[in-house]
Each structure stands twice: as C-alpha cells, then as structure tokens.
Amino acid sequence: MSNSDHNTPADHHDDAKWQRPLPPHKRRSRRLAAFGITAFAILALGAAAGAGGMRLARPSLELAPMTPVATSAMQDWSLVTVKGKVAEVFGNKFIVQDDIGRALVETGPSGDNGKLVKVNDAVSIQGRFENGFLHASYLVRQDGSIEALGPAGGPPHRGPLQDMLRHVKP
C-alpha cells in the first residue's frame, strides 16, 4: 500500500469524528445573536409585566355606583360618594354642597385648568375622605357621564431635582 492509496478523498469523508473547528468570528456572531435574542425576550417580558401592572393599578369604573352619604357623615379614611351642587371652584379644588353641609373636593391634575366643573353643576363625587378633603376618584355629572380622575390619595412624590427646578425661574 502506498501513501497515495490512503489519501483518497473518500477516506477523508468517511471519518465522522473529525470536524473542522469554527473560526473565532463565527463563534462571536453566534454569541451575539444569542445575547440579542435573550435581551429581546427579557425586554418583551418586562413590557408585558409593566402593561399588566398598569392595568391593575388603574382605577376601575366598578367603584362608581355607591350610595351617596351626607357631607357631615363622612369619616376619615373611608371611601364615600357625595351628591350635591358645586358651590365654589378654586383651580383643581371645588366645594360641593348638599342639604346638610359642604365639603372640599380635590380633583388632582385633572382639574388643574379649573374647567372640570362650573358653579351650580349637579355632581356626584366618589373618592376617599381624609384630613378634611374629599380626594376625588370619579366625578359623575348630571347627564350620567363619568370622569375618572385617578386614584384617590395624595399628590405624587416629587424628588429633590423637581423641587429645585420648580423654584428656578425660566
């Protein structure tokens, strides 16, 4: 047997154990592709979780139909519905008056322009009563339209940067 007999092309293809190693640039591109796919999957999962969280945090319209209570019967830290007429408007706050008394209603950013309600409008307000304010979550007008004003509670927390920028005059 000569050396030429062992070097035939058929002998090279029959050896299934021998495989050519990948060049470094091909290994790197495979790693980058795997990293890209993993990063995209994590971002997609985060976006889905964020959307689900926002859906759960949003106020639902199921809270609106409660029996109205008198303004004098409201207790701190309770969910209430008050029905009456708008007596006065102060920016994002207004006073609602029923047969028994009056209550100050805070509407949050939704009422900042002062055009949410007008004096003598008949309204029902649902929200949380605390510290002498009715923090409105919903405003129901006389025609039955419902305005969702956001979650009942205090103002959003501002960080130190927003406090500093608020005092700087442009």
Side-chain angles (χ1 to χ4, degrees):
M1 264 176 125
S2 70
N3 281 344
S4 63
D5 292 339
H6 291 295
N7 290 334
T8 61
D11 289 342
H12 286 288
H13 293 295
D14 288 342
D15 190 12
K17 293 180 185 177
W18 184 81
Q19 288 185 356
R20 189 181 210 176
L22 288 174
H25 70 280
K26 293 247 182 188
R27 277 185 261 150
R28 187 177 332 136
S29 62
R30 281 187 181 175
R31 267 191 239 131
L32 285 174
F35 177 74
I37 290 170
T38 303
F40 179 76
I42 289 172
L43 286 173
L45 184 64
M54 286 302 297
R55 185 177 176 106
L56 291 175
R58 186 179 304 155
S60 65
L61 288 176
E62 295 173 8
L63 295 175
M66 284 180 61
T67 305
V69 298
T71 55
S72 62
M74 294 188 292
Q75 296 176 359
D76 269 350
W77 303 99
S78 61
L79 283 175
V80 295
T81 299
V82 176
K83 189 174 184 177
K85 286 194 174 192
V86 176
E88 299 176 52
V89 178
F90 309 101
N92 69 339
K93 296 176 180 66
F94 65 91
I95 294 179
V96 65
Q97 184 172 358
D98 62 6
D99 295 336
I100 308 249
R102 302 171 83 169
L104 182 60
V105 179
E106 198 272 325
T107 61
S110 301
D112 274 345
N113 60 7
K115 297 179 181 178
L116 186 63
V117 293
K118 296 178 191 150
V119 176
N120 292 327
D121 281 355
V123 294
S124 292
I125 301 101
Q126 182 184 18
R128 185 173 64 225
F129 183 72
E130 61 182 62
N131 301 326
F133 286 89
L134 177 58
H135 297 277
S137 295
Y138 299 101
L139 178 109
V140 182
R141 300 188 196 301
Q142 191 171 11
D143 63 0
S145 63
I146 299 172
E147 178 115 15
L149 302 174
H157 173 70
R158 291 190 175 145
L161 180 62
Q162 287 85 4
D163 287 337
M164 286 186 338
L165 292 175
R166 187 175 44 163
H167 296 294
V168 176
K169 293 182 181 179

